[in-house]
């Protein structure tokens, strides 16, 4: 079996102002589990950095299926490589509360040469990793996430700081998701549940950069664009689908309520 499992206890920092787990908590522990898998095979970010290389994630898709664990309850993460190609590795994951699957998803990783900024072959890096050809979603997403930029309902401007960074010196991908949700109306965050998130990462972002997030509503979907203000270059796209059928395009959340 090529599956790798770790169990984590939910802590206070995993919860928000509504006493519910943050949507990013599963993503945080998924990446922690991946880091532990990398440690097992001596291919962590620190190991790669010594070779002038770095891990990069190009996308994450996650679906929330049930209530996440509460404070001091356990969250079990199971991950596995479903496919390893020359330049890309596809990683699947499930999150469990007891025996129940509370979330699942997939992602795509590759390795970047830190000097040339070009992808390199990962076959040697992942040579000791088994492949379990089981996929979470029947059809793996192809191409970039498309955003319908017709009904803008919010935006946010801010500057990146030291706490946004990871050990590679660029912004941690969890920060991008947090920025997107920070653009959401509080009313939405307290009332509606996000069912599925699709996240596309387009480029790196560094400290002291001016960032703009834009929020669009498309029916029951809420879409985010994260861009660099100086040249309007795209950094990240996020689509968050809600399971609430009452949300109508441009009716419930208006720009003056943001």
């Amino acid at each position: 079996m090529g599956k790798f499992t770790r169990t984590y206890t939910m802590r206070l920092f995993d919860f928000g102002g509504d006493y519910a787990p943050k949507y990013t908590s599963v993503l945080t522990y998924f990446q922690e589990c991946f880091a532990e898998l990398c440690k097992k095979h001596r291919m962590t970010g620190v190991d790669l950095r010594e070779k002038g290389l770095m891990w990069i994630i190009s996308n994450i898709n996650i679906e929330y299926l049930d209530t996440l664990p509460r404070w001091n309850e356990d969250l079990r993460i199971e991950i596995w490589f479903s496919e390893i190609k020359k330049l890309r590795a596809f990683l699947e994951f499930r999150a469990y509360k007891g025996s129940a699957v509370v979330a699942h998803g997939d992602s795509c990783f590759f390795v970047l040469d830190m000097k040339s900024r070009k992808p390199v072959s990962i076959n040697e890096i992942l040579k000791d990793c088994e492949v379990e050809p089981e996929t979470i979603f029947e059809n793996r997403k192809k191409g970039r996430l498309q955003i319908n930029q017709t009904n803008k309902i919010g935006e946010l401007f801010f500057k990146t700081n030291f706490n946004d960074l990871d050990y590679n010196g660029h912004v941690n991908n969890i920060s991008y998701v947090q920025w997107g949700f920070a653009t959401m109306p509080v009313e939405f965050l307290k009332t509606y549940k996000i069912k599925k998130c699709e996240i596309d990462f387009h480029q790196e972002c560094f400290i002291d950069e001016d960032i703009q997030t834009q929020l669009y509503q498309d029916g029951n979907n809420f879409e985010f664009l994260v861009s660099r203000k100086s040249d309007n270059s795209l950094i990240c796209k996020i689509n968050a689908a809600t399971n609430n059928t009452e949300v109508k395009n441009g009716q419930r959340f208006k720009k003056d309520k943001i």
Side-chain angles (χ1 to χ4, degrees):
M1 293 288 290
K3 294 185 177 180
F4 182 83
T5 302
R6 286 290 184 270
T7 299
Y8 306 95
T9 301
M10 298 290 283
R11 299 303 185 191
L12 287 177
F13 55 73
D14 293 315
F15 297 84
D18 56 356
Y19 306 103
K22 299 174 184 177
Y23 290 110
T24 53
S25 60
V26 172
L27 295 176
T28 300
Y29 288 117
F30 156 61
Q31 293 193 63
E32 179 70 21
C33 191
F34 178 58
E36 293 195 49
L37 173 63
C38 288
K39 181 180 179 181
K40 176 183 176 182
H41 294 287
R42 297 182 179 180
M43 57 182 193
T44 65
V46 176
D47 296 318
L48 294 188
R49 191 176 184 84
E50 294 175 354
K51 303 175 183 178
L53 305 173
M54 62 188 297
W55 282 110
I56 294 290
I57 186 168
S58 64
N59 64 67
I60 302 177
N61 302 299
I62 181 169
E63 185 175 16
Y64 300 94
L65 305 172
D66 206 339
T67 304
L68 299 178
R70 289 292 185 173
W71 174 74
N72 214 35
E73 293 182 336
D74 286 342
L75 178 73
R76 179 163 55 91
I77 302 292
E78 178 183 60
I79 64 175
W80 66 96
F81 288 108
S82 60
E83 186 178 7
I84 297 176
K85 295 185 175 182
K86 180 180 179 180
L87 298 178
R88 293 179 293 173
F90 296 94
L91 196 65
E92 317 283 324
F93 64 92
R94 289 193 180 96
Y96 295 85
K97 177 183 178 182
S99 59
V101 180
V102 295
H104 62 193
D106 64 14
S107 61
C108 178
F109 285 82
F110 61 96
V111 173
L112 199 69
D113 183 287
M114 298 177 70
K115 288 185 177 180
S116 69
R117 316 306 291 178
K118 294 182 179 180
V120 300
S121 173
I122 57 175
N123 291 334
E124 180 66 21
I125 296 170
L126 300 181
K127 64 180 181 181
D128 296 326
C129 297
E130 299 179 58
V131 171
E132 184 73 24
E134 177 186 352
T135 57
I136 294 296
F137 302 116
E138 183 177 349
N139 296 314
R140 179 170 284 142
K141 188 183 70 172
K142 296 181 180 179
R144 287 296 192 177
L145 180 64
Q146 300 299 311
I147 299 295
N148 180 18
Q149 301 178 47
T150 58
N151 184 36
K152 184 178 178 180
I153 62 172
E155 61 184 10
L156 189 65
F157 298 91
F158 56 92
K159 186 180 290 290
T160 59
N161 61 69
F162 187 78
N163 291 325
D164 293 319
L165 307 182
D166 61 18
Y167 54 78
N168 285 317
H170 61 95
V171 171
N172 187 290
N173 56 71
I174 295 295
S175 294
Y176 301 136
V177 183
Q178 292 173 334
W179 295 346
F181 286 139
T183 320
M184 281 282 206
V186 174
E187 182 184 3
F188 171 82
L189 293 172
K190 288 184 175 180
T191 305
Y192 299 100
K193 300 297 182 183
I194 291 175
K195 180 67 175 176
K196 189 173 183 180
C197 268
E198 299 174 277
I199 309 160
D200 269 1
F201 303 100
H202 285 248
Q203 63 174 299
E204 299 168 275
C205 185
F206 303 92
I207 195 170
D208 291 333
E209 292 201 90
D210 291 313
I211 302 299
Q212 176 184 12
T213 60
Q214 301 174 71
L215 171 62
Y216 298 86
Q217 185 181 351
D218 183 15
N220 294 336
N221 290 348
F222 289 82
E223 303 171 327
F224 309 88
L225 290 179
V226 181
S227 58
R228 186 174 285 106
K229 188 179 176 182
S230 60
D231 58 4
N232 203 34
S233 58
L234 183 63
I235 296 172
C236 179
K237 290 181 181 179
I238 303 171
N239 178 72
T242 175
N243 61 359
N244 191 289
T245 58
E246 295 181 2
V247 178
K248 299 299 182 181
N249 195 27
Q251 294 183 11
R252 183 171 180 83
F253 300 112
K254 298 181 183 298
K255 188 173 181 180
D256 58 5
K257 291 185 179 181
I258 302 297

